[in-house]
Every structure is written in C-alpha cells, then in structure tokens.
Amino acid sequence: MTNPASPQPATPRPPADDEVFNQPCPPGDIDLWAADIPLREATARHGGDAQTLAAYGASAGTARWREAAREANRQLPELHTHDRGGRRRDVVTFHPAYHDLLHLGLGAGYAGDAWTGGSHVTHAAMVYLHSQVEPGTCCPMTMTYAAVPALAANPALAAIWQPRLTARGYDPACVPITEKSAATLGMAMTEKQGGSDLRSNQTQALPDGEAFRLTGHKWFCSAPMSDGFLTLAQAPGGLTCFLVPRWLDGGANAIHLMRLKDKLGNRANASAEIEYHGAFAHRIGEEGDGVRTIIAMVHHTRLDTAMAPAGLMRAALAEAAWWCAGRSVFQRRLIDQPLMRRVLADLALDLEGAVALGFFAAATFDGTSDADRALARVVVALAKFLSNKRCPPVVYEAMETLGGMGYVEETPLPLLYREAPLNSIWEGSGNVICLDILRTLAKVPLADDALQAELQAATGADNRYDAALAAHRARWPGRPDEGDARWFADSAARLLAASLLIRNTPGAVADGWCASRLDAARGMVSGAISGLDEAALIARIGAP
Ligand SMILES: Cc1cc2nc3c(=O)[nH]c(=O)nc-3n(C[C@H](O)[C@H](O)[C@H](O)COP(=O)(O)OP(=O)(O)OC[C@H]3O[C@@H](n4cnc5c(N)ncnc54)[C@H](O)[C@@H]3O)c2cc1C
C-alpha cells in the first residue's frame, strides 16, 4: 500500500555494486615478516634465523596461501571407516589445500630444523607465522617437532624415525615408515576418564616378543593420518610410553578410527577417537617410566602452545589495523578515532607481552646450561598460561573493530575466534599449568633461582615494576597453596613479561605494560586505560 502523501520516488536506479566505497579492500599479499616489528626484534634478540623467517613470512602471507587456508577450512575432513565391502579402511581424507599447507610448513623446516642445526627460536617464530595463516595444520607439525626428543629414549627406533620426522618435506603416503621420505607423529594420551591425570590411563600393553600389543580406547587423537602415535599404556611394569606405527610391513596396524570430533576450532585438521585392537607397538623408555618419557614431548608442544596464541592475536590485530585504516565513521578514519586508538594500543600490549614471553621461552629451549633447562620448564608454562588467557578477549575485541564484518567468515576473524581457546586446553589446561608451575618451583630450586634472577634483572628502571615485584615477593616468600596457583602464575607471568619488555623494547611498550598490567588502576575491558603512547604502540602493529 502506498502513502498518498508521499512524494513520487525518482526513477529507481539499480544498485551499482561495483561502486563500493568505505569498505577496505582485502589486504592482498601480506609480508608477515616485514610488517611485524616485535617479531623482527625478538628474532634478532634471541638469535633466530632472520633469513629463513623473512622468506617464510613473505611466502606464507600471500593471498594464495591465505585463500588455501580458507579452502582447507571450508571442507571438513571425512572419516572412511570401511570400504564398500565392509573391510576396515580407517582413513581420513582432507581438502587438498590441507596437504599443500603441510608441504609449505614442513618443507620450510617447521618440524625438523630445530633438531638439525637450527634453533627453537626460529621454530617458535614459524609457529607464530603459520598460526596466522592456518592454525589447524600447526597441530600435526607441532606434534612431529615435539616427538623427536621423546623418541631419543629408544635409539634404535629413533635411527629409523628421526631422519624422516626432521626431513624438510611432507610425504602423506599410507605406507610403512621405511618406505617414506618424510613422516609425521601424533600423540594418544587422553582417555575418556581423564586427560590431565594420565596415570588413570587404562589402555593395556601386553609383551609380544620384543614388542607389545596394545588394546584400549583413546578419546582424543588429533591428526589421525599421522604415521604413528606416541601413546601411554599400562604394561606389566606400569604406565609406559609406546610408538604405535599406523602402517606395518603387512598393511595397516590394528588402529580403528571410531569417529571424528565435531569441534569448535579450525575445520581443516581432524581430531579422532581411536581404538587399539591388539595394535603393534614399540616401547620407548623403560616400563613404568611412561609419564617421564612422554613429558619430553609435552614440554615441546607447550612451547608451541605458548607461541600459537601470539600468532592468533597478531593475525587478528593486523586485520583490525588494516580495517581501521581503511574504514571511516563520522568523517574520520577509525584508526584516527581517539577511543579506537585506545583499544588498539591496549590490544597491542597483549601481543607485545605474548611475543616477549614466547620468544624468551624458546630461547631457554636453545640454552645448554642446567639453569636454562630448569628455567625453560617454568617460563614455557608462564607463557602458555598468560598468552592463552589473553588470546580469546584480544581476538574478540579485534573482531569488534570490524563491526559486522568481523562476524563474517570471509574475514579471518571467525576462524581466529573459534581457535583462540584451544591452546589453553590441550597440553595442560589452565589449572594444570598453574599447579605445574608451583611443582616445578618447589622441586627444582634452580628454576626458582633462575626465575628470580630474571625478575631481579629489570629492577631499578621503573618504580611500578619494583613495587609490583616487591608486593609479589612479600605475598609469597615461600610456596603458595594450590588454591593460590592461578594468582601466582598470573602475577609471575605479568612480572616476567614486564621484566623482558623493560629490558628489550622501546619505552612506550615497557611503560604501557607497567602502567596497565602491573597497576591495579584499570578496568576489566580492553581500552579502559589512559596514558598509553598510542601512536608508538599502534605503529608497531604495522598499521598502514
Ligand atoms: C582439539 C583438541 C585436540 C586434542 N588432541 C589431543 C591429542 O592429539 N592427543 C591427546 O592425547 N589429547 C588431545 N586432546 C585432549 C587434551 O589434551 C585434554 O582434553 C586435556 O589434557 C584435558 O583433559 P580432559 O579433557 O580429560 O579434562 P580433565 O583432565 O578432566 O580436566 C578438566 C578441568 O579440570 C582442571 N583440573 C585438572 N586437574 C586439576 C586440579 N588438580 N585442580 C584443579 N583443576 C584441575 C583442568 O585444568 C581442566 O580445566 C585434545 C583436545 C582438544 C580440545
């Protein structure tokens, strides 16, 4: 019905959808290395391989790879339990882009280089870079990297597997390890009744000559097309670590893929429930030493789960900065709006802290002294805890800077948002990590001494830091109770990040961190803070 009082509309023009304005263009090729000041500084500070990383960052950030990542996440992995005749297949198929992304990362040395003359710092930087493009493929690459030190407990097996795990390349063929040029490894620890409490594992391991036969169920087993799985099972001598190959000379090992998890995060990678039906397994380490053996793997996956949230935050912030520079509201670019600048600067500080902690953790992995090794255990846990706790709110705030478009899957924000909580949950969920920090400090005095030395090294430069450190030490001259473990880890991680930033970054970063992360005078939400050097902090995100 028309309103007779209304003026006649002018002859309608069809909307010209090629005349778009005030919608920032897609960013195109992004040089993830050149655009990232904190990354380049941290790499230089800790002796990472800038040349390798520059090449990787320039390549992985191109529109081609980011489109491949989108493709890999659009098509869900498919489980094929049986062939048409009812024979078991136990195969998962992926979008071809998933395999291409594994070629990219493994071919550049993501999993292997740290063990063949490269450094853990360079590895950590690759985790950071690859997480920005496609976090799902990081999972199999990280587990492959991390499995190498655990395998050392069985030198004969390591002689066969390690050269293939550390090869610069990806070989997805479903054939026994000896026929492969490169290999990947996964891990199968978690069972239905408990993941944190590994000693409750029920999978049984019965001796079979030199080897063992495993029977049981594993509740989470990611990257089920890996060439083998490091597994915990109860042998006659107690909980023991095993390598269960997926393929044997005679065909598939007795590993049944039961179903794939319908999970929150990335869609490119698969996580399965599996069953061992008398699966052939090699023992790694002594019987009864399972937790101690596999902890070598867990320790290294923790480094990656400390670094990945920094990558996710970086990807979200870079997108936010790009958007805010190209979008205007009320006649002013978003990036010039005082309130938006406050939000972006505050988020940038979270990223600075995560980069500082993650790279420092990686550097302790490269260290060779007893103090380095002791410090690595506690620093990696502090970094994993704080960076992962900050990741979801940072990604969410970055999403909001794009307004409605941040909610649209054509931008990277929805994937980053779904992925943001993951690295906190696996490989030691928040509480487990905090309790582990207390245990390490109590059991390894050298770790406590080394941490105290790192905290002490920054004193005298900032009154707020000195006061916060004194308050921390006054509250805990000794060992905190379990119930205080989160408070302790949060406080220690913020202080360690402050110490690193004070000693290593420009004044605006250290000053902003001390003002906003050590003083109690701030609100609960990002941007509820004043006195930041916004121009300096935003410039470090690489805003155009
Ligand atoms: C996407 C995805 C992929 C995964 N891939 C793998 C894989 O490949 N292989 C594998 O083995 N596992 C994998 N996991 C499993 C993961 O490692 C476990 O979910 C995790 O270790 C927690 O174990 P749980 O789920 O049994 O929780 P629980 O152990 O039951 O813990 C539940 C909660 O209790 C807390 N908690 C535990 N102990 C204490 C305590 N003493 N005091 C206070 N709080 C405590 C934990 O922090 C956690 O918040 C994956 C998980 C996810 C989500």
Side-chain angles (χ1 to χ4, degrees):
M1 211 163 86
T2 55
N3 180 344
S6 302
Q8 285 296 311
T11 310
R13 277 196 327 131
D17 65 2
D18 52 346
E19 283 178 27
V20 176
F21 65 97
N22 204 25
Q23 277 282 341
C25 294
D29 293 343
I30 304 172
D31 187 333
L32 299 176
W33 167 261
D36 193 333
I37 297 168
L39 165 65
R40 285 186 280 124
E41 286 178 356
T43 301
R45 185 159 73 239
H46 296 298
D49 178 351
Q51 209 179 340
T52 296
L53 294 171
Y56 195 67
S59 158
T62 53
R64 175 204 160 199
W65 282 116
R66 285 184 294 110
E67 183 54 28
R70 269 169 46 75
E71 291 296 324
N73 277 281
R74 265 217 293 262
Q75 180 182 310
L76 289 177
E78 277 180 15
L79 171 61
H80 308 274
T81 53
H82 297 84
D83 72 7
R84 67 181 191 176
R87 288 169 284 267
R88 288 213 72 95
R89 282 191 68 204
D90 297 301
V91 162
V92 179
T93 52
F94 300 86
H95 189 281
Y98 173 84
H99 297 290
D100 293 343
L101 284 152
L102 285 174
H103 271 293
L104 174 73
L106 293 170
Y110 179 121
D113 278 14
W115 308 114
T116 55
S119 70
H120 296 282
V121 166
T122 304
H123 163 76
M126 291 187 94
V127 175
Y128 173 80
L129 290 167
H130 200 95
S131 303
Q132 295 177 45
V133 181
E134 207 299 291
T137 38
C138 286
C139 170
M141 296 197 292
T142 280
M143 291 194 292
T144 301
Y145 153 77
V148 170
L151 268 186
N154 183 331
L157 207 57
I160 298 167
W161 283 79
Q162 184 164 334
R164 291 159 171 104
L165 298 175
T166 57
R168 274 193 164 205
Y170 171 56
D171 177 356
C174 292
V175 293
I177 183 69
T178 48
E179 296 172 29
K180 300 197 64 152
S181 60
T184 57
L185 272 188
M187 58 161 74
M189 300 190 296
T190 308
E191 297 186 0
K192 284 178 186 159
Q193 72 283 353
S196 308
D197 182 5
L198 292 174
R199 294 191 188 278
S200 70
N201 267 208
Q202 292 180 350
T203 297
Q204 294 295 314
L206 292 178
D208 180 9
E210 291 288 291
F212 283 76
R213 294 279 168 185
L214 266 52
T215 302
H217 184 286
K218 293 289 175 179
W219 189 226
F220 278 92
C221 178
S222 294
M225 288 294 94
S226 301
D227 293 294
F229 307 101
L230 291 198
T231 294
L232 287 180
Q234 301 287 355
L239 193 62
T240 304
C241 183
F242 296 93
L243 169 60
V244 187
R246 202 161 59 82
W247 294 94
L248 306 171
D249 284 339
N253 200 356
I255 306 170
H256 296 182
L257 305 189
M258 306 308 291
R259 59 175 178 163
L260 300 186
K261 298 289 194 194
D262 184 5
K263 58 190 178 159
L264 170 69
N266 73 81
R267 305 277 161 80
N269 193 35
S271 298
E273 294 166 23
I274 68 171
E275 279 182 3
Y276 293 133
H277 288 248
F280 175 89
H282 304 278
R283 176 169 56 80
I284 303 180
E286 295 303 315
E287 268 189 55
D289 244 1
V291 172
R292 194 142 59 108
T293 305
I294 211 162
I295 217 74
M297 179 174 189
V298 170
H299 182 53
H300 287 82
T301 45
R302 281 188 182 171
L303 175 60
D304 288 21
T305 53
M307 210 61 229
L312 299 177
M313 286 191 261
R314 164 75 202 171
L317 268 179
E319 192 70 25
W322 173 262
W323 182 270
C324 290
R327 175 89 167 171
S328 295
V329 291
F330 306 111
Q331 289 82 50
R332 194 147 60 157
R333 291 191 313 160
L334 276 171
I335 205 156
D336 298 323
Q337 301 277 359
L339 185 51
M340 187 60 93
R341 294 178 69 72
R342 193 71 57 86
V343 172
L344 289 173
D346 202 357
L347 299 179
L349 279 171
D350 283 310
L351 175 61
E352 295 276 2
V355 168
L357 284 171
F359 272 90
F360 181 62
T364 61
F365 279 59
D366 281 325
T368 50
S369 69
D370 288 346
D372 288 326
R373 272 188 289 277
L375 187 60
R377 283 181 58 179
V378 68
V379 169
V380 78
L382 290 171
K384 181 180 188 303
F385 181 63
L386 186 64
S387 301
N388 279 302
K389 289 299 170 198
R390 292 307 305 152
C391 186
V394 167
V395 173
Y396 152 67
E397 287 287 4
M399 172 187 276
E400 194 171 298
T401 67
L402 273 72
M405 279 304 291
Y407 212 68
V408 173
E409 297 277 354
E410 285 165 303
T411 77
L413 271 309
L415 168 59
L416 296 170
Y417 184 68
R418 284 196 300 273
E419 190 73 3
L422 172 64
N423 293 292
S424 184
I425 292 175
W426 79 294
E427 228 51 338
S429 310
N431 287 355
V432 171
I433 286 289
C434 294
L435 293 171
D436 201 48
I437 291 166
L438 297 194
R439 245 189 320 274
T440 303
L441 292 176
K443 278 192 182 166
V444 189
L446 197 51
D448 198 10
D449 295 346
L451 177 62
Q452 292 305 328
E454 286 300 325
L455 297 175
Q456 192 63 30
T459 52
D462 187 297
N463 290 338
R464 295 157 301 187
Y465 176 76
D466 294 350
L469 182 58
H472 176 88
R473 285 174 171 164
R475 183 158 172 182
W476 278 295
R479 188 183 167 196
D481 291 339
E482 276 195 21
D484 281 330
R486 267 194 186 228
W487 200 102
F488 181 86
D490 171 70
S491 169
R494 284 183 292 116
L495 283 165
L496 180 60
S499 166
L500 296 168
L501 295 174
I502 287 170
R503 287 180 283 159
N504 298 307
T505 58
V509 181
D511 183 63
W513 185 273
C514 291
S516 58
R517 269 66 176 168
L518 300 182
D519 263 6
R522 65 161 293 157
M524 277 183 69
V525 297
S526 299
I529 173 77
S530 57
L532 301 180
D533 184 343
E534 289 147 12
L537 292 170
I538 293 172
R540 286 170 65 83
I541 311 175

